[in-house]
Amino acid sequence: MTNKLTYFIARSSMFGIGFFLIFQNAGKDAWISILLGTLLGLIILYIYNKIKQQLNNNSLEDNLKNTFLGKIYIIILILFYLYLMIITLMLLPLFVNSFYLTTTPKILVNIPFLILAIYITFKGKSNIENLSKLLCIFSLIIILFFAISLTGYLDFNNLIPVFTNGTNNIIECALIYASLTSIPQIITINYSNDFKNTIKDYLLSSLTIFTIIFFTVIAMGEPLLKIYSFPEYTVLRQIKILNFIENIENISAFIWYFDLFIMLATLTNNLKNALPKKYNLIYFYLLIFIILIVSSLLIGGNYVYIINIVYIYPISLFIFFIIFLSLLIYLKYKNKTSVKN
């Protein structure tokens, strides 16, 4: 069983951002956007595979560190890692403060999460890969459990009529889905997984996301989809087992914690490896501290900042993707030059 990093990275940005944006724009037609977005995401993964083929079994940083332009790309990658870390550490306390520890400072929510990610980082990337395999099994079991639990609350009339939210909105949400689930996958490029398994894991992730969106739509209905910030979580509150066991939606929170944690652990590991070897730990801990302060205090403490970041997040990812496209061109040129010499 290969690592399941692709599965978790694809899911990590959906919670709190992807579901919110797609439900807001596509409403009950969101499931159509997921199908279209998955196809677009596969194209992006294909491009990343072409980048990986140019690495000749070396890490991305090792292929870039010997040239000036390559070092510029490493700086861009570091900025990308830091940006995704801010997003992750923004989402975690946002969810926890909304449903559980409503008065707990955001920085106190993030610190244990971040410490554990750093601990895993120093155990090596193989530990992150092995952890992803284990957590993937639990994630699938939980998703399947809640899908079955919701079957008694489904109303398929909530699906019709189709295409009521406009073709443009559906296509826009497909682009949002593709950007959130596939563009961050470049952070997995240094890990052991071939293209075939990457595609399988991405499709598995898309299947779980489709299941969540589909069941949320038919169990909740369009008006409520656009009211709640976390409709994919709120819909589970109506579940009762044996008519007296309630509040089991709290169990579902584990799948989101798994997604965010694997994302964060992968990013911290990549960040450490991308930084210069000299004074590596100083740079590493300094950047981690800055990210913690920015995400918990500067951004996390201002809802206006959060909502603005949520809306520009897909656009930011596409800007980075354009840069990564130029990276593919650069690596091809670099390899061709090396062969001639």
Side-chain angles (χ1 to χ4, degrees):
M1 185 179 182
T2 59
N3 74 69
K4 296 298 178 183
L5 295 180
T6 299
Y7 170 85
F8 287 107
I9 302 306
R11 289 174 45 83
S12 62
S13 294
M14 287 299 296
F15 185 64
I17 297 182
F19 289 121
F20 172 78
L21 292 176
I22 292 174
F23 280 136
Q24 286 292 312
N25 290 282
K28 60 184 173 60
D29 294 324
W31 61 277
I32 304 175
S33 296
I34 302 305
L35 297 177
L36 296 176
T38 299
L39 298 177
L40 296 174
L42 291 175
I43 297 174
I44 294 174
L45 292 182
Y46 176 78
I47 294 173
Y48 285 167
N49 182 60
K50 289 297 181 181
I51 294 177
K52 190 169 186 174
Q53 290 176 355
Q54 299 298 319
L55 300 181
N56 300 318
N57 296 321
N58 296 316
S59 70
L60 182 57
E61 290 77 16
D62 287 341
N63 277 268
L64 296 174
K65 65 182 181 181
N66 294 323
T67 64
F68 175 76
L69 185 56
K71 292 177 180 177
I72 298 297
Y73 278 115
I74 290 178
I75 293 174
I76 293 173
L77 284 169
I78 290 173
L79 292 176
F80 187 62
Y81 300 153
L82 296 175
Y83 179 58
L84 293 182
M85 289 177 70
I86 289 176
I87 296 296
T88 303
L89 293 175
M90 177 191 79
L91 290 176
L92 177 65
L94 183 64
F95 175 67
V96 172
N97 288 159
S98 297
F99 294 100
Y100 302 108
L101 308 176
T102 56
T103 60
T104 302
K106 291 176 174 56
I107 194 168
L108 293 183
V109 175
N110 279 332
I111 286 177
F113 208 70
L114 193 53
I115 290 176
L116 187 57
I118 294 172
Y119 173 78
I120 295 294
T121 294
F122 282 95
K123 291 296 181 179
K125 72 176 186 179
S126 61
N127 284 274
I128 299 175
E129 292 176 327
N130 292 332
L131 183 61
S132 70
K133 300 176 190 177
L134 177 63
L135 294 183
C136 181
I137 296 173
F138 288 109
S139 176
L140 293 174
I141 292 174
I142 293 173
I143 292 172
L144 181 60
F145 169 76
F146 279 99
I148 294 174
S149 300
L150 274 175
T151 54
Y153 304 88
L154 305 184
D155 183 0
F156 286 90
N157 290 323
N158 289 327
L159 285 175
I160 54 177
V162 185
F163 295 108
T164 56
N165 287 277
T167 304
N168 290 338
N169 285 342
I170 293 174
I171 294 175
E172 178 185 347
C173 289
L175 292 171
I176 290 174
Y177 178 81
S179 66
L180 267 61
T181 58
S182 60
I183 293 177
Q185 296 292 344
I186 197 169
I187 73 175
T188 68
I189 203 167
N190 290 332
Y191 295 83
S192 56
N193 215 359
D194 57 35
F195 183 56
K196 183 178 179 180
N197 287 317
T198 296
I199 294 300
K200 288 181 180 178
D201 292 341
Y202 182 73
L203 291 177
L204 177 62
S205 177
S206 290
L207 177 61
T208 63
I209 293 171
F210 177 84
T211 300
I212 291 171
I213 282 186
F214 188 78
F215 275 73
T216 301
V217 170
I218 57 181
M220 182 174 284
E222 181 160 293
L224 295 179
L225 291 175
K226 299 184 178 183
I227 294 176
Y228 294 109
S229 299
F230 298 93
E232 68 279 13
Y233 176 80
T234 306
V235 70
L236 301 177
R237 290 186 162 185
Q238 61 186 305
I239 297 176
K240 294 181 181 180
I241 298 179
L242 302 177
N243 293 322
F244 66 90
I245 301 177
E246 301 180 354
N247 298 323
I248 64 169
E249 72 276 359
N250 294 330
I251 301 174
S252 71
F254 283 105
I255 64 173
W256 313 121
Y257 295 146
F258 295 161
D259 297 339
L260 295 174
F261 178 73
I262 294 297
M263 178 69 151
L264 187 61
T266 307
L267 288 169
T268 54
N269 184 68
N270 287 12
L271 176 63
K272 183 178 181 299
N273 293 331
L275 292 171
K277 301 302 179 184
K278 190 176 183 180
Y279 307 121
N280 180 273
L281 291 182
I282 295 177
Y283 294 139
F284 177 69
Y285 285 118
L286 178 60
L287 288 174
I288 290 294
F289 177 75
I290 293 174
I291 290 301
L292 178 63
I293 297 300
V294 170
S295 59
S296 303
L297 302 181
L298 298 183
I299 296 177
N302 192 314
Y303 186 75
V304 175
Y305 291 163
I306 293 175
I307 199 67
N308 287 334
I309 288 175
V310 166
Y311 280 113
I312 67 172
Y313 183 53
I315 300 173
S316 303
L317 290 177
F318 270 113
I319 293 173
F320 275 109
F321 178 64
I322 293 173
I323 297 174
F324 298 148
L325 278 177
S326 70
L327 172 61
L328 173 59
I329 298 172
Y330 166 74
L331 288 172
K332 282 188 173 182
Y333 174 79
K334 178 175 174 290
N335 289 337
K336 186 180 295 185
T337 304
S338 299
V339 170
K340 289 181 179 180
N341 294 334

